[in-house]
Amino acid sequence: MARFELKLPKMGESVAEATITNWLKQVGDKIEADEAVLEIATDKVDSEVPSEVSGVLVEQLFQVNDLVQVGQTIAIIETEGGEGAVTVVADEVPNEAVAIEKAIEVAKETVLAAVEFNESDKFLSPLVKNIAKEEGVSVAELQTISGTGKEGRITKADILEYIKNRGNQPKVTATPSLMVDTIAPVAVPVAAKAAPVSVNGGDEIVEMDRMRKLISGYMVASVQTSAHVQSFIEVDVTNIVKWRDKVKAAFEKREGEKLTFTPIFMEAVAKALKDFPGMNISVDGDFIIKKKNINLGMAAALPNGNLIVPVIKNADQLNLVGMAKAVNDLGNRAKAGKLKPDDTQGGTYTVTNVGTFGSVFGTPIINQPQVGILALGAIRKVPAVIETPEGDFIGIRQKMFLSHSYDHRVVDGALGGSFVKRVAEYLEAFDVNRDF
């Protein structure tokens, strides 16, 4: 008999880890090749991990809610139709057997460490949990460590630095229900997190789903991280509205795609980012990362009310047809829950269309670690002053507001305002005689 190590596959260029959300197969279950074994979740996208071989699942090396790194072994499958846990014959593949058994033991230790710290409110990697266990760092202490990793996660460097500076102070040995004061060793009860109770008995209390919890954390972290400033500008899109009305039927007939306003606006944003590369950056601590590619995030509302941001890669290299196809493809797959992990990674700037829901303008929260996000307001018919060589007169125009939120730590008003003004200029200078 032989054993196969099922590893967490590479899910995208910038996806390094995932959380196990559900085991679809249990120990002892038979598995066919390409059959899903478990479900995982990255920051925003859920997906399944299939088996590469047929056999029987004999080991689950991680539990639900454990964080797993790409390339890490997550399960052991016995191949050749064996049933139950079978030991590899030593004289057949001694080196492989020893390596696999060692990997299993390491993974088991990682799981045990994860179980002990599963009461922590922080999102802890198996490595951090192992270090905490070995060094006697309690859950209460972990709660006090400020993480420098993505979304405030505690990194290996963070916990090692904490351990180094902890010195000879008494260790906190608190359990989830008790907190021990290191100055006066008196146990102080900590109130357990209980579900709220309806006062009048008529309110419905519903726990947030996993994605909503993630979004909640991201939004709070972004506001606490970036110094948000907004600039607003009104833009006349009358020519764009007329042009789209004129060509949308022909566009759909020729390309098989609907032509919405979104790709037109995305095209203008991509051009403006090329003009102002200072907006196409990200922040990592005290460092500014100037992005080579222009990857536009496109905020999309899901049927369940949650939000997801698929990314149009190399948006500046697409013509209007290519942009329309990318927008429609990502939008449709987002609604159907068919996005892949890499579809939401690598964004350098984000656009959100608040006008879809009738909002005139909004003050969107920056999608970290980006430094700007543009909100597109509703297009409205409004009376406006029209300047002509013969004089000014009042006419009906199609107008909308652009709301630009940017990170004042690295983007000043001159850049933030100039960027959104350039987007408006591109939109108002739209060529009504252009082809699509």
Side-chain angles (χ1 to χ4, degrees), residues 5-263:
E5 295 185 30
L6 179 65
K7 300 179 183 293
L8 183 65
K10 184 174 176 60
M11 298 167 289
E13 186 175 330
S14 57
V15 181
E17 59 191 17
T19 302
I20 295 176
T21 57
N22 183 35
W23 281 97
L24 301 174
K25 295 292 183 179
Q26 302 301 321
V27 173
D29 288 351
K30 292 184 178 181
I31 301 171
E32 299 296 330
D34 297 325
E35 187 177 7
V37 179
L38 69 158
E39 294 176 340
I40 59 172
T42 61
D43 286 350
K44 295 178 181 177
V45 177
D46 296 345
S47 57
E48 297 177 340
V49 177
S51 172
E52 300 174 38
V53 298
S54 297
V56 175
L57 181 64
V58 295
E59 292 278 355
Q60 291 178 346
L61 303 182
F62 291 92
Q63 297 180 347
V64 171
N65 295 326
D66 282 347
L67 183 68
V68 186
Q69 305 296 315
V70 168
Q72 200 166 7
T73 301
I74 51 182
I76 302 296
I77 298 173
E78 179 188 285
T79 60
E80 299 182 6
E83 296 184 3
V86 176
T87 304
V88 178
V89 180
D91 57 2
E92 290 181 3
V93 280
N95 293 332
E96 182 181 351
V98 172
I100 291 176
E101 292 299 328
K102 183 177 180 181
I104 293 174
E105 290 304 316
V106 171
K108 285 182 178 178
E109 291 178 5
T110 302
V111 172
L112 290 175
V115 171
E116 294 181 10
F117 292 98
N118 62 6
E119 295 297 329
S120 173
D121 290 335
K122 291 181 177 290
F123 198 50
L124 305 174
S125 70
L127 176 60
V128 170
K129 292 176 184 178
N130 266 335
I131 295 174
K133 179 184 177 184
E134 292 172 1
E135 298 294 333
V137 180
S138 67
V139 174
E141 288 179 281
L142 288 173
Q143 299 293 82
T144 67
I145 301 176
S146 298
T148 60
K150 184 178 180 182
E151 311 302 342
R153 293 176 184 170
I154 298 175
T155 64
K156 176 183 177 182
D158 293 331
I159 192 168
L160 291 179
E161 182 68 18
Y162 173 80
I163 293 169
K164 176 182 176 182
N165 294 331
R166 186 170 55 163
N168 297 320
Q169 295 180 356
K171 294 180 181 178
V172 177
T173 57
T175 66
S177 60
L178 294 176
M179 179 181 295
V180 179
D181 193 320
T182 57
I183 298 177
V186 178
V188 180
V190 177
K193 293 184 178 178
V197 178
S198 173
V199 177
N200 58 20
D203 300 329
E204 182 183 5
I205 299 171
V206 181
E207 184 179 4
M208 296 182 189
D209 60 24
R210 184 189 64 82
M211 182 175 285
R212 178 50 56 182
K213 290 177 182 177
L214 285 171
I215 293 172
S216 175
Y218 295 151
M219 296 299 99
V220 172
S222 182
V223 171
Q224 293 176 341
T225 300
S226 296
H228 281 65
V229 177
Q230 282 84 27
S231 292
F232 306 93
I233 191 167
E234 190 174 29
V235 54
D236 190 328
V237 292
T238 304
N239 288 341
I240 292 176
V241 173
K242 290 181 178 179
W243 180 83
R244 175 180 170 272
D245 288 342
K246 181 179 66 175
V247 306
K248 63 181 181 180
F251 184 93
E252 184 173 3
K253 182 178 180 180
R254 192 184 85 176
E255 302 297 335
E257 300 279 350
K258 290 186 180 296
L259 178 62
T260 65
F261 288 110
T262 300

Side-chain angles (χ1 to χ4, degrees), residues 38 83 85 93 161 175 240 263 298 311-312 352 398 419 421:
L38 69 158
E83 296 184 3
V93 280
E161 182 68 18
T175 66
I240 292 176
M298 179 185 74
V311 177
I312 302 172
T352 179
Q398 301 269 10
F419 169 78
K421 184 173 183 291

Side-chain angles (χ1 to χ4, degrees), residues 308-350:
I308 197 166
V309 185
V311 177
I312 302 172
K313 306 293 174 62
N314 298 309
D316 58 312
Q317 299 178 19
L318 299 176
N319 59 18
L320 188 58
V321 173
M323 190 74 78
K325 289 181 180 294
V327 167
N328 293 341
D329 173 57
L330 290 173
N332 292 334
R333 287 197 287 123
K335 293 176 182 177
K338 299 294 185 181
L339 288 175
K340 299 177 182 178
D342 198 43
D343 290 329
T344 61
Q345 302 294 324
T348 60
Y349 188 87
T350 297

